[in-house]
Amino acid sequence: MADHETGSNFLELTARFREFHRLSLSRYDSYSALYEDYLKTGMQLFDMPVGIVSRISEGQYTILAVAPDSVGFAAGDSMPLGDTYCSAVISQQRTMAVSHAAVDPALGGHPAYRQMLLESYLAAPIWVEGEIFGTLNFTAPEARQHPFDETDIELIELMAGRIGQVVEQDQADRRRQDALRRLRVNTELFESAFQYAPIGMALVSLEGRWLRVNRAVTAIFGYSESELLAINFQQITHPDDLDTDLAFLREMLAGQRDSYRMEKRYFHKGGREIWALLSVSMVRDETGAPDYFVSQIQDITAQKQAEAELLQQQRELESLNHRLAVLSTTDPLTQLGNRRELDRRLSEELHRSARTGEPLSLLVVDVDHFKRYNDTYGHPAGDVALRKMAKVLQRLARVNDCAVRLGGEEFVLLLPHTDETGCCTVARRLSGMVHSITGLETPISVSSGGATWTPAMGSTRVPDGEFLLGNADAALYRAKQEGRDRHCQSRGLSQ
C-alpha cells in the first residue's frame, strides 16, 4: 500500500513538473497569452479556483491578468497594495503559502481577509532585473484540506521566476531594438544634418587637415570644397587665436577634455576677417584612440559687429541714465541735493542710527528777509546769493553730511553722528560763514532750527523723516519769532 502511494505521488510530481517544463519551452506572441497559460496551469496544478498576475509599483496593485474572467476583477483594475494579501509578499520579499488564513498571524487580521474572506493563498514574487515586478498568486475561499507543501512552493517560485525571465528578456529586447532604431535614426539624422545644416560642419584630421566639409563651411570661408580639403585649418586661422585653438586640441588629445567651444577669427578667401563660434568634439575608434575631430562653425561676424554697436549704445545709455539720476536728485540752481535726495538720505540715516544707537541731527536753514533782497536787487542777484549760500554749506558739510536745498531760500543740512551740542556748534559756524560771504549786493544772515534724534536704548523703532524735519521747522519758526539771525534747537527727541 505504501509503495503504491509513493508511486502515485511520484507520478503526480512528474506530471506537475512536466507541465512546468512545457511552460518553460512555450513561446508566446503576447503577454496575455503568457499569463493565461500560466494561470490556467497553476489553477490546475495547485487546485485553486482563482489566479492573478499582478504588477506592483509605487504602492499600487494592478491586475495584469486574472482567471477565470468571472470573479469580479478584470485586467487593468488597480487598488492600494495594502488592501491585498500581496502586501505581505512584498514586505517579506518571499513566497507565501497560507492554507487557512483565519488562523494565520499574517493574514488573519489583514484588510483583504475581512473584505473577501479568502482562506487559501499561494503567491510568489516576480523578480525582474533585481526588483519585484509583481506577483503570481492563487486564492480560494475555502481552507485547504491538505496544506501547501514544499513542492507547491518550489513550483510556484519556478513559474514566477520563468515569467520574470520572459518579462526581463522582452524588456531587454525592446531596449535593444530601440537602441538600434535610435542608432539608425541618429546616423541618418547626422548625415542629413551634416549635409544640410545651416551652420558649418566639418570633419578634421588629428593634424588639422579638412577631411569633409559641408556647403555652409564653403560659404563661410569663400573656398570651394576641393580647395579646403587641400589645406589645413591653421592656414586660415587668425594668428592671435591659433595658439588658444591648438592648446584646446592638445588637451583633447591628452584626454583632459571631451570638447571645447571658443570664439575665433578666420580669414576669408577674399582677405577679410571672419568671427566664428567654433565647437569641437572628438571621435574615437573602437580601441578608444583618437580618430578625428568634428567641428561646428557658426559665422558670428554680424553678431560681433552688433555687439560692439550695442555695447557703445549701452555705455551711452548708462552715461545718460547717470546724468538723469543726478538731475533727479540735484537742485539745478545750487547743485545741492533736492527734496528727493533728502528723503532718501534721511531714511537711510534714521535706520543707521536705529541700528547703531548714535544720534542724528538735522538743521533747517532759512535766508533772512530773502524776499526783500530779491525785490530790491532782482532775481539774478538773488540767484547769486543762493549759489554762494550753497557753497558755504558744501564747505561746512563733512563727508557723510548731506546739504540740500528744499526750495526758495530754505536749506537743510543732515548731520549723522551728531548730538544736540554738535548741531548747535555747526549752526554757529554756519552763521559766521554766511556773515563772511563777499560779492553780494548787501550782507545776508540766516536763521536755523535744529532737531536731534537719539534712539532709545533697546528700541528698534525708526521714526518717520517728517518727525525730525517737523521739529527742526518748529525750532526755525522760534528763531524767526525771536528776531532772526539766530539758531534755536528742539530738545529731547527720542522714540
Side-chain angles (χ1 to χ4, degrees):
M1 185 72 175
D3 291 342
H4 176 74
E5 183 177 348
T6 301
S8 176
N9 290 340
F10 177 76
L11 291 175
E12 180 183 355
L13 182 61
T14 301
R16 297 177 77 183
F17 278 94
R18 184 176 290 116
E19 275 297 289
F20 173 72
H21 183 255
R22 178 189 64 79
L23 290 174
S24 299
L25 296 179
S26 297
R27 296 294 179 264
Y28 304 94
D29 57 6
S30 66
Y31 278 123
S32 60
L34 167 74
Y35 298 150
E36 181 182 5
D37 196 5
Y38 272 72
L39 290 177
K40 287 183 177 180
T41 301
M43 291 162 59
Q44 177 184 354
L45 294 178
F46 304 122
D47 191 24
M48 300 285 273
V50 177
I52 292 177
V53 177
S54 72
R55 175 74 171 100
I56 296 172
S57 177
E58 297 181 352
Q60 283 295 114
Y61 177 96
T62 302
I63 296 176
L64 299 181
V66 59
D69 55 11
S70 59
V71 295
F73 297 110
D77 288 351
S78 183
M79 64 199 73
L81 176 61
D83 292 346
T84 69
Y85 282 168
C86 288
S87 60
V89 175
I90 301 305
S91 64
Q92 299 179 33
Q93 296 191 352
R94 65 177 180 84
T95 300
M96 291 196 66
V98 178
S99 300
H100 192 183
V103 297
D104 186 83
L107 300 186
H110 198 282
Y113 180 77
R114 294 194 297 269
Q115 293 175 9
M116 305 182 67
L117 297 178
L118 297 173
E119 293 290 353
S120 300
Y121 176 67
L122 179 64
I126 299 172
W127 292 88
V128 174
E129 296 182 348
E131 296 183 354
I132 294 180
F133 172 85
T135 60
L136 172 65
N137 64 87
F138 299 92
T139 58
E142 303 88 8
R144 291 179 70 85
Q145 294 182 356
H146 302 290
F148 294 111
D149 57 22
E150 292 183 0
T151 301
D152 295 319
I153 294 173
E154 290 176 359
L155 187 56
I156 194 172
E157 287 178 346
L158 288 171
M159 294 172 67
R162 182 55 185 159
I163 292 175
Q165 290 174 353
V166 173
V167 173
E168 190 169 311
Q169 183 62 47
D170 180 65
Q171 291 182 351
D173 290 343
R174 290 174 185 269
R175 286 195 297 269
R176 184 171 59 254
Q177 291 298 324
D178 188 55
L180 291 173
R181 180 189 62 79
R182 289 199 305 271
L183 178 61
R184 183 176 62 256
V185 170
N186 289 340
T187 301
E188 294 172 354
L189 287 175
F190 177 80
E191 185 63 25
S192 177
F194 185 89
Q195 293 294 339
Y196 303 107
I199 64 173
M201 296 191 68
L203 305 183
V204 182
S205 75
L206 302 182
E207 298 75 29
R209 298 189 65 84
W210 304 98
L211 301 176
R212 286 190 64 187
V213 295
N214 68 354
R215 291 178 295 179
V217 170
T218 62
I220 291 172
F221 297 137
Y223 292 91
S224 68
E225 181 178 357
S226 60
E227 289 174 328
L228 284 173
L229 297 185
I231 61 176
N232 57 42
F233 77 83
Q234 294 95 320
Q235 293 173 257
I236 61 173
T237 295
H238 194 288
D240 291 346
D241 297 332
L242 183 57
D243 288 344
T244 301
D245 200 357
L246 292 176
F248 281 137
L249 290 177
R250 285 193 293 270
E251 290 178 5
M252 290 182 66
L253 291 171
Q256 298 173 354
R257 62 168 63 238
D258 296 324
S259 63
Y260 72 91
R261 173 181 289 195
M262 66 175 292
E263 293 181 353
K264 62 174 289 188
R265 287 161 291 179
Y266 292 94
F267 289 115
H268 188 270
K269 183 179 180 181
R272 61 185 173 87
E273 287 185 7
I274 301 170
W275 272 101
L277 176 61
L278 172 67
S279 301
V280 181
S281 58
M282 187 165 63
V283 176
R284 298 180 180 274
D285 62 20
E286 60 276 6
T287 68
D291 198 1
Y292 58 88
F293 300 111
V294 178
S295 297
Q296 293 182 333
I297 305 166
Q298 184 175 357
D299 188 348
I300 58 171
T301 305
Q303 176 184 328
K304 281 292 187 179
Q305 294 172 346
E307 287 176 356
E309 294 173 0
L310 179 60
L311 181 60
Q312 179 61 30
Q313 293 173 0
Q314 287 177 336
R315 288 171 179 167
E316 295 174 356
L317 181 59
E318 288 172 0
S319 176
L320 179 58
N321 287 337
H322 176 71
R323 290 171 56 193
L324 291 174
V326 171
L327 289 174
S328 70
T329 58
T330 303
D331 176 63
L333 175 64
T334 64
Q335 298 305 303
L336 296 179
N338 59 13
R339 178 57 188 262
R340 177 181 293 181
E341 177 68 2
L342 174 64
D343 290 342
R344 183 185 70 82
R345 282 295 307 276
L346 184 53
S347 176
E348 288 180 357
E349 297 302 337
L350 283 167
H351 282 83
R352 183 178 290 111
S353 290
R355 291 194 305 271
T356 64
E358 295 180 341
L360 172 65
S361 292
L362 184 144
L363 199 62
V364 179
V365 182
D366 190 85
V367 180
D368 294 331
H369 303 297
F370 187 70
K371 183 178 185 305
R372 184 193 308 167
Y373 189 99
N374 254 347
D375 292 343
T376 302
Y377 303 109
H379 287 285
D383 290 346
V384 171
L386 292 176
R387 283 195 287 266
K388 287 181 177 290
M389 178 68 191
K391 293 293 184 184
V392 168
L393 288 169
Q394 288 173 332
R395 291 198 303 272
L396 180 64
R398 300 166 299 180
V399 174
N400 293 326
D401 296 344
C402 177
V404 167
R405 182 190 177 204
L406 283 184
E409 68 276 18
E410 194 170 24
F411 298 84
V412 169
L413 190 59
L414 186 60
L415 304 168
H417 320 297
T418 304
D419 57 15
E420 291 183 1
T421 301
C423 184
C424 293
T425 299
V426 172
R428 287 194 297 270
R429 288 182 60 200
L430 173 62
S431 179
M433 293 172 72
V434 171
H435 286 156
S436 300
I437 295 176
T438 60
L440 298 177
E441 297 296 334
T442 188
I444 61 174
S445 64
V446 294
S447 300
S448 61
T452 299
W453 176 64
T454 303
M457 290 186 62
S459 174
T460 59
R461 181 179 180 186
V462 179
D464 186 85
E466 292 298 328
F467 167 75
L468 197 59
L469 193 58
N471 280 276
D473 269 331
L476 172 63
Y477 181 77
R478 292 201 310 274
K480 290 181 179 181
Q481 291 294 103
E482 293 177 9
R484 300 180 187 272
D485 193 14
R486 68 191 63 224
H487 172 76
C488 287
Q489 182 75 22
S490 180
R491 299 290 182 182
L493 300 183
S494 64
Q495 284 192 355

